[in-house]
Amino acid sequence: MCGIFGYIGNKEAVPFLMEGLKKLEYRGYDSAGVATLDKGKVFVSKRAGKIADLEELLRRKPIKGHIGIGHTRWATHGKPSDANSHPHEDCTGKIVVVHNGIIENYLELRRDLAQKGHKFTSVTDTEVIAHLIEENYAGNLLEAVAVTLNQVQGSYALAVVSEHEPDKIIIARHGSPLIVGFGENECYLSSDIPAMLKYTAEIIKLDNGEVAVLAKDELKVFDLQGKAVAKESELISWDPESAEKGGYAHFMLKEIHEQPSAIRKTIEGRIEAENHKIHFDELNLTDDEIRKINRVVFTACGTSWHAALVGEYLFEQYARIPAEVEYAAEFRYRQPIIDQNTLVIAITQSGETADTLGAVWEAKARDAKVISICNVVGSSIARESHGVVYTNAGPEIGVASTKAFTTQLTVIYLLAILFGKRKGVVSDSEATKLINDLIELPGKIEEALYQEEAVQHVAERFYRATNALYLGRGKGFPIALEGALKLKEVSYIHAEGYPAAEMKHGPIALIDHNMPVVVLALSGRRYEKILGNIEEVKARGGKVIAVACEGNTDITEKADEIIYIPLTSEALSPILAVIPLQLLAYYIAVKRGCHVDQPRNLAKSVTVE
């Protein structure tokens, strides 16, 4: 949510700020702004709307300076408006702040500041920070920011520039990510890696409770009590081209097509089919610890939660361990019954999701073992977990998750087999067969992508729909949920996913000739049952779009539209089945003229509660 980009060096800052903010658009925003320091004076330019609106303002009223901070805002406190846009200033206009996160005690602080004579120009929580720094400034900007941050409650990633000390940027982080990149006599500041890739591969990530002074040739980091903190830089493994569209119309379509290579990268170096071995050295779990685990709790949000639902099936099927799935936002505030023999698996693309991070803290506080499945190396959740498995999917820019989901499922599949082997319930021969099935999967996804034209035909027929049902059984049920979510996210069509058997318990009342029903008709022991569900839909005039496995020709007489996927094992069919649903959501959204990569009101990474 929101995005911060900053620059300090010998060049004009505004071009860097605008380019960085554009790279962060996928995080979701409704206004944008920049601030620069030029000859010791602060200049601010901000505007509600898209970055293009800010660019137009800057064309009419340009600002200069070799130091600058920029921000894209996703409204939490106060509606989108010019006044509520970041950056925010203190009463004097000499201190300027951009902020990601939420200040939970801002109303109390605002009342106290108002009583002291401070005048506010917005209704945001962020403006309180600027006025607090003004109140606390006594000749040292770093100290003023540190004192301020000891007064606020909530989450923040913060960047501050001031006429008082016009040769530096003060930055701080608690809860929301913040990254510093290093160039030649210049430094960059960003909320996320993709905005850095064009300029540098060397970065430092601030940790919670750290505040720092950023100059053009150095970074000094401290804790909030003023003690210096040693930091080591790391190299980004992502290449700049991976964050570009590469000829595709949208990032979402590019990332759908990247799934075969993403899954190959996920399994690379981790499997030996001939020796039926799976390597996850980063788990930090001994064989003895695995054998003692008597319960698995998955926790996640959004698409990652759907991956967890598939994981519940896989762990119970192959590892024979009781498993359950919890929304992270609910799990963290309950009093979950977990202990040292419980394994909590946190699933997250960004590694910064606030609720999932909170769930990890709750699990650790109750002595559970915690491993995370994550795409971003060194992210908060990865660092807070006892062990981590990286999906290695590369940067995912589209807000609607695609390759992150299928690589998460790939990791879960391998973990279930590994745990099953350690528990003695998966034989060597069975493990070899399961691993070989996975090795074949990327090629089968490539085959599934050949159905793109058929999916476009279906989208052409149904893009005017206002509602849709998605039905599945077994492992097809979480994929029905994920397909419905994708449609909602990018096309704004109301859609719901259900276990197919639950249709008779209410949703069937919605079905008529205007209602498209997407059915996951996957091979397996539930196939005949799902055919019965299709008959029920057809009897009530519903239009059936079936996703079926090659060879199931009997379904042609029952469904209005059929999208075929290659035949694979029942355990891997969810990964194949989601491909046409991703494409369907994409092409319907395109037909409806929606902004596919930046759906309204959504953010890529939800770093606030």
Side-chain angles (χ1 to χ4, degrees), residues 53-208:
D53 300 311
L54 176 61
E55 286 182 312
E56 176 58 30
L57 178 60
L58 288 168
R59 274 192 290 270
R60 290 188 284 108
K61 297 179 179 180
I63 60 176
K64 294 184 176 294
H66 297 166
I67 299 176
I69 52 177
H71 189 270
T72 52
R73 176 181 186 251
W74 194 86
T76 54
H77 297 75
K79 66 181 182 180
S81 68
D82 290 353
N84 289 334
S85 303
H86 295 217
H88 286 291
E89 304 169 63
D90 71 333
C91 293
T92 68
K94 295 181 178 181
I95 297 172
V96 177
V97 176
V98 294
H99 163 235
N100 292 350
I102 292 177
I103 304 304
E104 295 171 355
N105 61 334
Y106 86 100
L107 284 175
E108 174 189 343
L109 294 170
R110 186 181 176 112
R111 283 194 296 267
D112 290 344
L113 288 163
Q115 289 174 359
K116 294 176 180 178
H118 288 265
K119 305 296 182 183
F120 290 84
T121 60
S122 78
V123 296
T124 67
D125 54 334
T126 299
E127 192 182 354
V128 165
I129 299 173
H131 291 277
L132 275 176
I133 296 171
E134 177 190 3
E135 187 72 20
N136 294 320
Y137 186 74
N140 187 306
L141 187 60
L142 175 67
E143 290 180 1
V145 172
V147 171
T148 294
L149 296 180
N150 280 308
Q151 294 175 276
V152 303
Q153 298 169 10
S155 62
Y156 53 80
L158 201 69
V160 183
V161 294
S162 173
E163 291 182 9
H164 298 303
E165 300 176 31
D167 58 346
K168 64 190 68 170
I169 304 174
I170 306 297
I171 59 176
R173 178 259 166 106
H174 182 79
S176 296
L178 203 56
I179 303 165
V180 174
F182 301 94
E184 188 173 343
N185 291 318
E186 57 190 11
C187 290
Y188 315 92
L189 173 68
S190 179
S191 298
D192 210 348
I193 290 173
M196 291 280 196
L197 293 177
K198 183 176 179 179
Y199 308 114
T200 183
E202 184 186 4
I203 65 167
I204 282 178
K205 296 177 180 177
L206 288 194
D207 288 313
N208 283 339

Side-chain angles (χ1 to χ4, degrees), residues 142-430:
L142 175 67
E143 290 180 1
V145 172
V147 171
T148 294
L149 296 180
N150 280 308
Q151 294 175 276
V152 303
Q153 298 169 10
S155 62
Y156 53 80
L158 201 69
V160 183
V161 294
S162 173
E163 291 182 9
H164 298 303
E165 300 176 31
D167 58 346
K168 64 190 68 170
I169 304 174
I170 306 297
I171 59 176
R173 178 259 166 106
H174 182 79
S176 296
L178 203 56
I179 303 165
V180 174
F182 301 94
E184 188 173 343
N185 291 318
E186 57 190 11
C187 290
Y188 315 92
L189 173 68
S190 179
S191 298
D192 210 348
I193 290 173
M196 291 280 196
L197 293 177
K198 183 176 179 179
Y199 308 114
T200 183
E202 184 186 4
I203 65 167
I204 282 178
K205 296 177 180 177
L206 288 194
D207 288 313
N208 283 339
E210 291 180 346
V211 60
V213 181
L214 183 63
K216 67 180 181 180
D217 53 2
E218 67 175 348
L219 174 73
K220 294 181 179 179
V221 183
F222 306 87
D223 64 21
L224 291 181
Q225 285 68 51
K227 181 180 178 181
V229 177
K231 305 288 287 188
E232 290 187 7
S233 64
E234 59 184 273
L235 294 178
I236 304 169
S237 59
W238 296 346
D239 61 279
E241 289 76 18
S242 63
E244 301 297 335
K245 291 180 184 176
Y248 288 92
H250 299 91
F251 281 111
M252 183 179 178
L253 184 61
K254 173 178 179 275
E255 288 155 6
I256 290 171
H257 280 267
E258 285 178 337
Q259 288 174 111
S261 62
I263 289 175
R264 289 187 181 104
K265 290 176 183 175
T266 299
I267 65 179
E268 184 178 341
R270 287 172 165 166
I271 58 175
E272 295 179 37
E274 64 276 11
N275 297 322
H276 49 75
K277 288 185 178 179
I278 297 170
H279 303 284
F280 279 129
D281 297 335
E282 63 268 53
L283 275 183
N284 291 327
L285 287 174
T286 66
D287 289 354
D288 187 54
E289 287 174 322
I290 289 175
R291 283 189 283 269
K292 288 180 180 178
I293 291 168
N294 58 23
R295 181 163 162 253
V296 172
V297 177
F298 290 94
T299 187
C301 303
T303 285
S304 296
W305 188 79
H306 297 156
L309 289 176
V310 178
E312 180 180 20
Y313 285 94
L314 292 174
F315 262 75
E316 292 188 345
Q317 179 177 354
Y318 292 120
R320 303 304 297 156
I321 303 174
E324 59 194 82
V325 180
E326 298 273 3
Y327 282 112
E330 297 299 322
F331 179 81
R332 66 181 296 196
Y333 288 117
R334 285 180 27 223
Q335 294 184 345
I337 302 172
I338 54 179
D339 57 27
Q340 66 272 17
N341 294 323
T342 303
L343 176 66
V344 173
I345 301 178
I347 308 176
T348 166
Q349 189 283 135
S350 68
E352 302 292 348
T353 307
D355 285 320
T356 308
L357 181 58
V360 167
W361 290 336
E362 180 67 21
K364 288 173 67 179
R366 296 177 182 273
D367 295 325
K369 295 285 185 183
V370 179
I371 64 172
S372 56
I373 299 171
C374 182
N375 191 37
V376 180
V377 176
S379 57
S380 297
I381 291 171
R383 284 180 287 170
E384 289 290 334
S385 303
H386 296 117
V388 58
V389 180
Y390 291 112
T391 55
N392 300 329
E396 187 179 69
I397 307 301
V399 167
S401 183
T402 52
K403 64 178 180 176
F405 177 67
T406 50
T407 53
Q408 287 168 353
L409 292 181
T410 301
V411 168
I412 293 167
Y413 177 84
L414 286 173
L415 284 174
I417 298 168
L418 175 65
F419 276 58
K421 278 180 60 65
R422 297 293 184 270
K423 291 272 190 180
V425 294
V426 171
S427 67
D428 291 345
S429 60
E430 185 180 7

Side-chain angles (χ1 to χ4, degrees), residues 466-471 494-498 502-517 536-543:
T466 56
N467 297 280
L469 279 178
Y470 284 66
L471 303 176
H494 173 253
E496 297 297 336
Y498 283 92
E502 284 294 302
M503 181 178 61
K504 293 187 287 292
H505 297 274
I508 200 169
L510 298 172
I511 295 174
D512 60 18
H513 67 281
N514 293 315
M515 174 72 80
V517 181
E536 292 170 335
V537 172
K538 294 297 293 178
R540 287 153 181 84
K543 306 299 181 185

